[in-house]
Amino acid sequence: GRVFLNKVFHISAEKMFELLFTDSSFTQRFMSIRKITNASLDPWQREDSGNMKRTMNYTIAISNPLIGKCSRATENQTRFKDVPEGHYMVDAEVFTHDVPYHDYFYTQNRYAITCSSRRKCRLRVLTDVKYKKQPWGLVKSFINKNSWSGIEDYFKQLESELLEEEAEMNQGARDA
Ligand code: YK8
């Protein structure tokens, strides 16, 4: 896998979880920046294992002219229960439905939020491109190349939007 985001923010771990994994105004704003539309998300639901699950469906805009302007996608998220108090771990599997070769691969993003103090957390995202069936070598390198660049772009922007959110939050705290 690859790590595209690994950074300490002046945001508590609980707040970071809320920003990224609830229907927060941050999520809504970030989706509109990324031109993610038609988003529907199920609430978190507890499984027998004790882990929590939810599913999101949305349409993503694609800038690659070879592919088409958009694709529907499904994201299955699992929040693991066996983590130390104050830490969060979420696995997100992203399946696209309308891009070429979409039945061959999906993306797995593992988000770890660890608290480093009461007001700080580290957010780390580990990404892997997974194969459901083995494509021809050239196709595989094509999929990898397009996936890594799209994912890198996404997490760069997520990082910069989080930094902006952090600045606003801490500004508000100083004014208060
Ligand atoms: C989530 C990984 C691959 C996919 C895309 C596929 C091209 C295939 C080209 C053929 C378009 C929000 C990506 C980037 C779409 C966006 C996905 C996002 C960013 C010719 C081989 C959507 C995180 C995420 C994970 C995977 C990304 C796709 O929260 O290149």
Side-chain angles (χ1 to χ4, degrees):
R2 297 192 189 181
V3 175
F4 289 120
L5 182 52
N6 185 11
K7 204 173 174 57
V8 173
F9 294 90
H10 289 250
I11 297 175
S12 71
E14 303 82 79
K15 182 71 188 174
M16 182 61 83
F17 178 82
E18 191 189 307
L19 293 178
L20 298 178
F21 297 108
T22 67
D23 191 15
S24 62
S25 52
F26 177 83
T27 295
Q28 291 176 14
R29 187 156 46 86
F30 189 63
M31 281 184 161
S32 80
I33 291 170
R34 295 298 308 185
K35 300 193 170 62
I36 294 174
T37 53
N38 302 322
S40 74
L41 64 168
D42 296 348
W44 286 103
Q45 219 120 42
R46 193 175 300 278
E47 304 260 285
D48 290 340
S49 62
N51 295 335
M52 311 277 275
K53 291 221 172 194
R54 69 171 189 168
T55 300
M56 293 205 264
N57 287 292
Y58 47 76
T59 304
I60 45 172
I62 296 169
S63 47
N64 190 330
L66 294 174
I67 300 169
K69 286 194 168 58
C70 57
S71 172
R72 286 166 303 140
T74 301
E75 179 162 342
N76 296 324
Q77 297 182 339
T78 305
R79 176 183 167 189
F80 297 102
K81 75 156 200 280
D82 286 323
V83 294
E85 169 95 40
H87 295 227
Y88 298 84
M89 182 140 80
V90 175
D91 253 7
E93 293 176 337
V94 182
F95 298 84
T96 53
H97 302 305
D98 305 305
V99 302
Y101 307 107
H102 63 90
D103 49 334
Y104 281 87
F105 72 102
Y106 64 96
T107 304
Q108 188 182 60
N109 295 315
R110 172 162 287 194
Y111 294 79
I113 304 171
T114 51
C115 69
S116 35
S117 78
R118 209 159 60 80
R119 293 211 175 115
K120 280 191 203 167
C121 73
R122 175 180 293 277
L123 172 64
R124 187 170 175 280
V125 188
L126 177 65
T127 301
D128 229 340
V129 178
K130 302 267 196 184
Y131 286 87
K132 293 187 267 185
K133 47 187 185 186
Q134 282 304 314
W136 186 44
L138 201 61
V139 170
K140 189 169 178 173
S141 62
F142 203 38
I143 292 172
N144 280 334
K145 185 173 158 287
N146 282 282
S147 296
W148 292 131
S149 63
I151 295 162
E152 180 171 25
D153 183 64
Y154 180 84
F155 285 115
K156 267 196 190 142
Q157 194 162 23
L158 181 62
E159 175 174 330
S160 84
E161 290 304 318
L162 282 171
L163 286 172
E164 215 164 280
E165 182 76 18
E166 173 190 59
E168 271 169 37
M169 281 171 51
N170 294 328
Q171 181 63 48
R174 263 195 303 279
D175 292 346

